[in-house]
Amino acid sequence: MKIHTRIFGEIEIAEEKIITFENGIIGFPDLKRFTLLHDEARGTDAGIRFLQSIEEPGFAMPVMDPLIVKPDYNPEVNDELLAAAGEITPENLVVLVTVTIPKDLTKMTVNLQGPFVINAEERKACQVIVEGQDYPVKFPVYEILRTRKAGE
């Protein structure tokens, strides 16, 4: 399937690369089919990927693995909230968090409170809200990423 995206232009998406969010995502309940894209020039090691909507090609959210910026990220989530993602196992689990990239990059944050939980095997996913104060909506990451890049 071909779609025209705002960030990547026209791209071909293989059916097996489509991830279904049965309940949509927070704020966009009607968007249910997505794929993960990354900047080919930077590779997947750049950390930031895009959760690209299939239904709304102009909609793509920057996302990243939370372990890159918070190695101890391990929120407790009620199993009922994960039901839409199918049977989650350590082998098929992919967790991503949204990235906010403002004009002033030093103010870049990730949302640790509303992660996307993806079952890579079944290509099903859901977004959950983590209870408690341990994981903020705006977790600053610029310095962490800068230090990480400098250490490579």
Side-chain angles (χ1 to χ4, degrees), residues 2 19 28 30-31 51 61 64 74 91 96 112 118 126 130 143 148:
K2 282 189 180 182
I19 303 163
F28 302 92
D30 296 334
L31 300 182
L51 191 61
M61 296 179 79
M64 73 182 334
N74 189 20
E91 293 78 28
L96 298 171
L112 297 177
I118 302 169
C126 61
V130 176
E143 283 301 321
R148 182 175 179 261

Side-chain angles (χ1 to χ4, degrees), residues 82-83 85-94 117-120 122 124-126:
L82 301 175
E87 189 169 332
I88 300 286
T89 66
E91 293 78 28
N92 70 17
L93 174 67
V94 175
V117 178
I118 302 169
N119 176 333
E122 296 179 41
K124 292 181 178 180
C126 61

Side-chain angles (χ1 to χ4, degrees), residues 109-146:
T109 62
V110 294
N111 178 352
L112 297 177
Q113 199 171 63
F116 298 109
V117 178
I118 302 169
N119 176 333
E121 192 176 298
E122 296 179 41
R123 298 183 321 272
K124 292 181 178 180
C126 61
Q127 186 176 17
V128 297
I129 298 296
V130 176
E131 299 293 324
Q133 304 299 315
D134 295 338
Y135 300 110
V137 172
K138 292 187 178 289
F139 180 73
V141 296
Y142 177 80
E143 283 301 321
I144 296 168
L145 294 173
R146 191 176 68 74

Side-chain angles (χ1 to χ4, degrees), residues 29-103:
D30 296 334
L31 300 182
K32 300 183 186 295
R33 293 169 27 114
F34 291 84
T35 193
L36 278 172
L37 301 174
H38 65 275
D39 183 342
E40 295 287 339
R42 299 187 67 180
T44 55
D45 291 339
I48 297 178
R49 294 183 272 174
F50 291 85
L51 191 61
Q52 171 68 55
S53 171
I54 302 297
E55 292 105 343
E56 180 55 55
F59 182 86
M61 296 179 79
V63 295
M64 73 182 334
D65 179 341
L67 298 178
I68 291 172
V69 294
K70 186 145 178 62
D72 62 345
Y73 186 72
N74 189 20
E76 286 190 29
V77 177
N78 188 318
D79 288 344
E80 291 172 20
L81 298 175
L82 301 175
E87 189 169 332
I88 300 286
T89 66
E91 293 78 28
N92 70 17
L93 174 67
V94 175
V95 176
L96 298 171
V97 293
T98 56
V99 182
T100 300
I101 308 170
K103 284 188 183 346

